[in-house]
Amino acid sequence: LKSALRSFTPTRNDARQNFDPQPSMCESDLAAAIAGGQVVPYYQPKVDVQTGILKGVEALARWLHPERGMIPPDRFIPMAEQCGLIHDLTISMMDQAMAQAAVWHSRGLAIKVAVNLSPLSLEQSDFMHRIMALVDRHALPADRVVLEITESSVVANKGNSLGTLARLRLKGFGLSIDDYGTGFSSMQQLARIPFTELKIDRSFVHGAHERKNLRVILQSALDMAQRLELVTVAEGIETMEDWRLLQDFGCNIGQGYLIAKPMPANELPLWLKGHHRR
Ligand code: C2E
Ligand code: CA
Ligand code: CA
Ligand code: CA
């Protein structure tokens, strides 16, 4: 019955249902992949828009499948959420990203590492406990870790997710509102949740220099975030025009293909060398 119901549940992305006709097989595949270390973070630089200095990285999940090659997160995160594997996936991603951040810190690269949270993680009762165990194990100050959360994810406050966010903030974690502008009740949430960062969705960033409507929304969002004393991040910077506009608008941090695509941890030092020379 459970799987019958599942197949009638409308989803945001129909592609995810076509992904595999045998969900149970997929589940065990993904479970084994997570446990076996095939799901790894790639890191995308977050740089200061005014100076170009590297401020942090965002960890983005990649499934390095031995036969099928690299599978992007849109193909397996929804599946992980549906079949209850998202908790293990999130913890595994955090574990790897924190271990990597600790290595970078030990080499003098004091950048922050951002991890994406599924709304489901926040509803899990022992999430707080598991994440605290991780920062302890890696001896990483919580203020070096940013948790990116999509704005629509905490609307329902299921399982007291709002309370969990407040407690995470008190522990020192940065809280970033992700994909800003694409969800609902964003204003309400901004007032209720102690966010530290606002990340404007790329649909308002790329091309804003030539489209007035986008530009107005972008500037208003930045202005509001600045007044709320939030760090402003623009994602999806693809061209010099995008970059210059964000500089003019006083945006703090930028991320996008113009700066760098997500990369394995071992490629970051080389990228950084080339980036400094520019
Ligand atoms: P997101 O958190 O909004 O991440 C940004 C996405 O935009 C990434 O796609 C990134 O590669 C892509 N991107 C970065 N710069 C540019 C650009 O200049 N232009 C364009 N067109 N795209 C750019 P990716 O890595 O495929 O991730 C897709 C989504 O999957 C993420 O969106 C996030 O919602 C989810 N995701 C990824 N990793 C995780 C994870 O570990 N846990 C959870 N819960 N979700 C994850
Ligand atoms: Ca994100
Ligand atoms: Ca985003
Ligand atoms: Ca997104």
Side-chain angles (χ1 to χ4, degrees):
L1 177 69
K2 212 173 160 193
S3 67
L5 281 176
R6 204 184 276 158
S7 60
F8 284 109
T9 310
T11 56
R12 273 177 299 161
N13 178 4
D14 286 331
R16 85 174 65 149
Q17 300 216 317
N18 302 332
F19 174 50
D20 198 309
Q22 297 163 291
S24 55
M25 216 194 97
C26 242
E27 279 173 38
S28 60
D29 264 16
L30 181 56
I34 296 166
Q38 284 177 22
V39 178
V40 302
Y42 270 37
Y43 298 92
Q44 188 178 34
K46 294 169 91 168
V47 305
D48 186 311
V49 174
Q50 308 303 326
T51 64
I53 291 170
L54 181 70
K55 290 295 183 177
V57 290
E58 175 179 4
L60 293 154
R62 301 288 182 263
W63 180 351
L64 306 181
H65 196 285
E67 282 116 45
R68 286 190 285 171
M70 188 169 85
I71 305 175
D74 293 340
R75 301 277 297 276
F76 62 87
I77 297 284
M79 185 167 79
E81 288 177 332
Q82 275 181 11
C83 57
L85 290 170
I86 192 66
H87 304 308
D88 288 344
L89 189 150
T90 304
I91 293 298
S92 166
M93 283 290 291
M94 288 200 138
D95 194 10
Q96 297 177 71
M98 286 184 192
Q100 186 59 57
V103 170
W104 283 327
H105 290 175
S106 73
R107 295 181 188 158
L109 193 61
I111 53 176
K112 295 194 185 203
V113 64
V115 183
N116 290 282
L117 283 195
S118 161
L120 296 176
S121 308
L122 291 171
E123 294 167 20
Q124 204 196 20
S125 57
D126 67 346
F127 180 69
M128 190 73 198
H129 177 77
R130 293 179 84 180
I131 187 173
M132 289 317 295
L134 283 181
V135 285
D136 284 350
R137 181 141 58 87
H138 295 295
L140 199 67
D143 66 5
R144 294 298 169 81
V145 181
V146 176
L147 306 171
E148 296 195 5
I149 306 135
T150 52
E151 53 173 329
S152 43
S153 59
V154 270
V155 178
N157 191 25
K158 270 203 223 139
N160 192 23
S161 42
L162 283 176
T164 302
L165 282 176
R167 286 196 295 149
L168 286 166
R169 180 68 202 115
L170 283 175
K171 294 284 187 190
F173 291 94
L175 298 181
S176 177
I177 186 162
D178 202 354
D179 297 350
Y180 183 77
T182 61
F184 304 105
S185 74
S186 29
M187 301 295 171
Q188 196 189 18
Q189 287 199 64
L190 280 174
R192 284 165 84 191
I193 302 167
F195 284 110
T196 55
E197 177 180 286
L198 183 129
K199 227 176 153 174
I200 298 170
D201 191 70
R202 68 167 178 263
S203 55
F204 303 102
V205 173
H206 176 57
H209 66 99
E210 54 187 9
R211 290 176 61 193
K212 183 168 178 241
N213 286 0
L214 290 186
R215 201 159 58 240
V216 170
I217 296 170
L218 176 64
Q219 194 169 21
S220 313
L222 287 171
D223 182 55
M224 179 192 67
Q226 282 152 6
R227 286 164 198 261
L228 289 168
E229 292 171 37
L230 299 174
V231 174
T232 51
V233 183
E235 60 178 18
I237 300 179
E238 293 188 2
T239 63
M240 277 311 291
E241 286 84 1
D242 297 340
W243 174 267
R244 284 201 202 94
L245 187 71
L246 289 156
Q247 276 187 327
D248 288 349
F249 285 173
C251 181
N252 303 129
I253 309 263
Q255 195 180 347
Y257 294 164
L258 177 72
I259 303 145
K261 289 195 171 175
M263 64 187 96
N266 62 6
E267 287 178 15
L268 194 82
L270 191 63
W271 170 81
L272 201 54
K273 258 190 190 166
H275 180 70
H276 278 323
R277 250 186 264 119
R278 270 195 268 165

